[in-house]
Amino acid sequence: MSDLTPTAQLSAAGVSIWLDDLSRERLNSGSLQKLIEEKNVVGVTTNPSIFQAAISNGGPYSEQVSELARRDADVETAVFEITTQDVANACDLFAPIAEASKGVDGRVSIEVDPRKAWDTEGTIAEAKRLHEKVGKSNVHIKIPATLEGLEAITETLAAGISVNVTLIFSLERYRAVINAFLLGIEKAKENGHDLSQIHSVASFFVSRVDTEIDKRLTALAEKGERSDEANALKGKAGVANARLAYQIYQEQFGSERWKLLAEAGALPQRPLWASTGVKDPAYPDTLYVTELVAPNVVNTMPEKTLDATFDHAVVTGDTVTAHYDESNAVLNALEGLGVHYDDVVALLEKEGLEKFVTSWNELLEDVQQTLNSAKEA
C-alpha cells in the first residue's frame, strides 16, 4: 500500500490537479496556498459563474470597487479590472510551479466574455486584451469551443497566447478543436513564436453528460421501455465519452502532422476533465476522478471533489486506455435505446453557454449595484 495521499498518487499517475475555483478570499487567506502544499493542486480554472459567486459576496472586493467608483469606471471596466487582478495574483502564486514544470502546470485560466462566444473577431480581440492585461506568462485564456470559437482558438494561439479551450462535449467537436490547435501552432511557427512557450488544454466536460443522459434514461425506464437496459446504462456515458476523447488525443498527437510540430518544440494540447463534481448522490463522489486517470491529463475539481479525492479516492493507475471498446459499446447502446448522442451534446453546449452568459449578466448587475452604492457613500 502506498504511503502517498490519493492526490499525490494521482499526480504520480500523470494527472495534474487544478482547482476549479478562485476568489480574492482564497488568495488573501492563504487557503489556496494550503491546497498547493497539502493537496497537490498545481493550477486554477475560473469561469463566469465562479467570478459571479466570488464577487457577489463583496468583502475583499469592496476597496477596489470603491476606488473604481471614484474613478467613475463603468461596470464593464470594473469587472475587467477585478477579475484580471485576481487572475494575475493567482498567476504569481503559481509562478514557482510554472517555472518548475516549464509552464506545463502552474496555470491560471480566465475566460473571454461569454457573450462573445458566437463572435469570432470579438473573441480574438478579447483574448488578446485579457492576455495583455493579466501580463503573466502562466495565464491561460479560455475560449468556448463553439463553431465560431474554432477560428478564434487558432488565431489566439497563432499570436503566441496560451489557450484553454472550454465547453467541449462532443467527440466530433473535440476533433475540430485539436485541428484548430494544430493550425494555430503551425501559424505560430510561421509567425516566429517560440513554440515551447505556448501551452494549451482542451476542457472536456464530464458530469453534465450523465445528468442529461440519465434524465432521458429515467424517462424511458418509467415508460417501461427496456427499463433494465436503461437503468444499467445510468452513470456510464460521461466517463465513456471522456475515455473516447482520450483515444482521439492519442491518435491525433501520434500523427505525422503533430510530429513535425513537436520536433519544432511544440507541446501537445492536454485533455482536461472539467465538470468533475458528481451531481447524482447515488454515484461515488470521486467517480470522475478515479475513472479518468491517464498520463498527461488535467482534472480540474471543485473543492468538494478535491476534498473527497484527498480523503478516500482509490487510485489504481491508468483507468482509461484499456476501456475504449467498452466505452464505444456504452454510446452504441444508448443510441440503440433512442438516446441520441448528437442531440444531447448540442443541448449541453447551448445550456452551458446560456448558463455562463446568465452568470456574467448577474455579475455585471451585482458590480453595478456596488458601484452605485460606493458613489452614493
Side-chain angles (χ1 to χ4, degrees):
M1 188 171 173
S2 174
D3 292 332
L4 297 174
T5 64
T7 54
Q9 291 174 46
L10 262 187
S11 301
V15 179
S16 294
I17 299 170
W18 293 2
L19 180 71
D20 193 30
D21 195 35
L22 182 64
S23 67
R24 199 157 296 178
E25 174 63 27
R26 278 197 183 280
L27 289 162
N28 293 349
S29 69
S31 76
L32 186 53
Q33 178 64 44
K34 192 174 179 185
L35 293 178
I36 293 170
E37 293 168 359
E38 297 181 0
K39 297 184 180 175
N40 304 88
V41 170
V42 292
V44 157
T45 49
T46 68
N47 62 45
S49 299
I50 284 169
F51 277 126
Q52 191 272 331
I55 297 169
S56 65
N57 289 330
Y61 297 97
S62 55
E63 186 178 336
Q64 186 179 13
V65 172
S66 296
E67 170 60 26
L68 288 161
R70 283 194 293 273
R71 285 166 37 195
D72 205 27
D74 62 43
V75 67
E76 303 272 351
T77 300
V79 168
F80 185 78
E81 292 289 331
I82 292 165
T83 57
T84 53
Q85 182 173 318
D86 276 3
V87 169
N89 290 341
C91 282
D92 287 341
L93 183 66
F94 281 97
I97 293 171
E99 186 175 355
S101 64
K102 296 184 177 175
V104 172
D105 284 315
R107 316 294 308 187
V108 183
S109 297
I110 185 169
E111 189 158 340
V112 296
D113 181 337
R115 297 170 300 177
K116 294 183 166 70
W118 304 273
D119 174 0
T120 301
E121 293 304 320
T123 294
I124 295 167
E126 176 88 350
K128 290 178 177 177
R129 185 166 163 253
L130 283 168
H131 180 259
E132 183 178 359
K133 177 65 177 178
V134 174
K136 308 291 180 179
S137 61
N138 55 329
V139 69
H140 262 149
I141 306 303
K142 279 179 90 171
I143 298 175
T146 55
L147 289 172
E148 297 85 353
L150 294 172
E151 184 184 345
I153 291 158
T154 294
E155 294 306 318
T156 303
L157 289 161
I161 296 170
S162 296
V163 172
N164 176 343
V165 183
T166 190
L167 283 174
I168 308 170
F169 295 97
S170 83
L171 298 170
E172 180 185 10
R173 185 63 55 82
Y174 180 43
R175 286 185 184 278
V177 164
I178 293 175
N179 184 58
F181 166 78
L182 294 172
L183 282 170
I185 297 299
E186 287 162 351
K187 284 192 167 190
K189 185 181 175 205
E190 290 170 15
N191 293 340
H193 291 289
D194 179 352
L195 301 188
S196 70
Q197 299 303 304
I198 304 173
H199 297 265
S200 186
V201 291
S203 297
F204 209 86
F205 280 53
V206 187
S207 69
R208 294 187 198 181
V209 174
D210 276 338
T211 300
E212 180 58 32
I213 286 180
D214 283 2
K215 185 167 70 178
R216 298 181 185 208
L217 290 170
T218 297
L220 274 175
E222 286 174 350
K223 289 179 186 173
E225 297 177 14
R226 299 162 72 181
S227 57
D228 289 347
E229 290 174 69
N231 286 325
L233 286 168
K234 286 183 182 177
K236 294 190 174 173
V239 167
N241 198 37
R243 285 171 170 169
L244 293 173
Y246 192 81
Q247 184 180 31
I248 292 169
Y249 160 76
Q250 287 186 307
E251 289 168 358
Q252 295 298 309
F253 289 95
S255 68
E256 289 304 314
R257 181 185 182 189
W258 170 247
K259 284 173 186 171
L260 288 171
L261 291 170
E263 286 166 8
L267 300 165
Q269 181 187 57
R270 291 191 292 169
L272 178 150
W273 311 133
S275 182
T276 57
V278 172
K279 307 290 193 293
D280 188 332
Y283 301 149
D285 53 5
T286 61
L287 175 68
Y288 304 122
V289 177
T290 58
E291 297 306 302
L292 292 174
V293 178
N296 212 32
V297 301
V298 179
N299 193 311
T300 187
M301 309 177 195
E303 189 170 21
K304 185 178 177 183
T305 303
L306 174 64
D307 289 344
T309 299
F310 180 80
D311 180 65
H312 54 257
V314 178
V315 180
T316 57
D318 182 342
T319 52
V320 173
T321 58
H323 298 281
Y324 296 149
D325 289 346
E326 173 193 328
S327 299
N328 273 309
V330 168
L331 297 192
N332 290 337
L334 287 165
E335 202 69 33
L337 285 174
V339 178
H340 299 302
Y341 180 86
D342 289 345
D343 291 348
V344 169
V345 294
L347 176 66
L348 289 172
E349 179 182 297
K350 177 176 175 287
E351 288 180 344
L353 287 163
E354 286 172 353
K355 180 183 177 186
F356 280 173
V357 169
T358 298
S359 293
W360 195 254
N361 287 333
E362 288 172 356
L363 173 59
L364 292 171
E365 288 173 19
D366 288 346
V367 172
Q368 184 65 68
Q369 289 175 4
T370 311
L371 284 170
N372 292 344
S373 298
K375 286 174 184 175
E376 290 165 5

